[in-house]
Amino acid sequence: MAVDTLGLIWALMVVPASTQDRAGGVPLIERLRAAVKRIQVVWGDTHFDAALRHAWINWGWVGVVTRKLAGQRGFVPQPKRWIVERTFGWLNRSRRLSKDYERTTASSEAFVKVAMIHLMLRRLRS
């Protein structure tokens, strides 16, 4: 999932559990590029370093990898990582997304989009 600084989804890709984050990162970056052309900086965790390198080589996007601090013990929020985690928290409020009921990744992706639309409509209403 690729989100902006407000936590709104720009690109989404649901993959089987057997797919590693490194393998899914480049296709996700490609989807993000199709959705948004004028990005300058992309943050990602250590598993998406290949995708960030791909974005730098192809489009000149600056990729920043968020890493754990040396000697870190316990929970410490990582810079920019908490934005994605907050979005996951919002989406888990949706009853349909709290467990994995879907048989296909396409239907799972569709329900994530429906939940995000519902969240954005509630914000517009208030």
Side-chain angles (χ1 to χ4, degrees):
M1 176 181 336
V3 299
D4 62 6
T5 54
L6 296 176
L8 303 176
I9 296 174
W10 280 97
L12 175 67
M13 192 170 102
V14 177
V15 296
S18 61
T19 304
Q20 296 290 325
D21 286 343
R22 290 188 194 283
V26 174
L28 179 65
I29 285 286
E30 293 285 344
R31 285 189 183 190
L32 180 61
R33 171 64 179 181
V36 185
K37 305 282 189 227
R38 296 177 46 176
I39 293 180
Q40 294 178 356
V41 180
V42 180
W43 288 276
D45 64 3
T46 54
H47 298 293
F48 290 100
D49 58 350
L52 296 175
R53 197 173 319 113
H54 176 78
W56 167 256
I57 291 168
N58 291 325
W59 310 299
W61 295 355
V62 176
V64 179
V65 177
T66 58
R67 299 182 191 277
K68 242 196 217 186
L69 298 173
Q72 174 184 330
R73 292 185 180 259
F75 175 75
V76 177
Q78 295 178 355
K80 304 297 181 189
R81 171 80 187 255
W82 65 271
I83 297 170
V84 175
E85 299 300 331
R86 178 184 62 186
T87 303
F88 282 128
W90 292 338
L91 292 173
N92 278 325
R93 288 184 188 166
S94 173
R95 189 170 150 221
R96 183 77 183 236
L97 298 177
S98 65
K99 302 283 186 267
D100 192 17
Y101 296 115
E102 308 309 320
R103 291 181 183 252
T104 65
T105 57
S107 64
S108 184
E109 197 170 303
F111 278 107
V112 169
K113 290 177 183 177
V114 167
M116 198 65 193
I117 290 168
H118 179 72
L119 176 73
M120 289 187 289
L121 287 174
R122 277 188 299 162
R123 287 186 180 175
L124 285 173
R125 184 181 66 193
S126 60

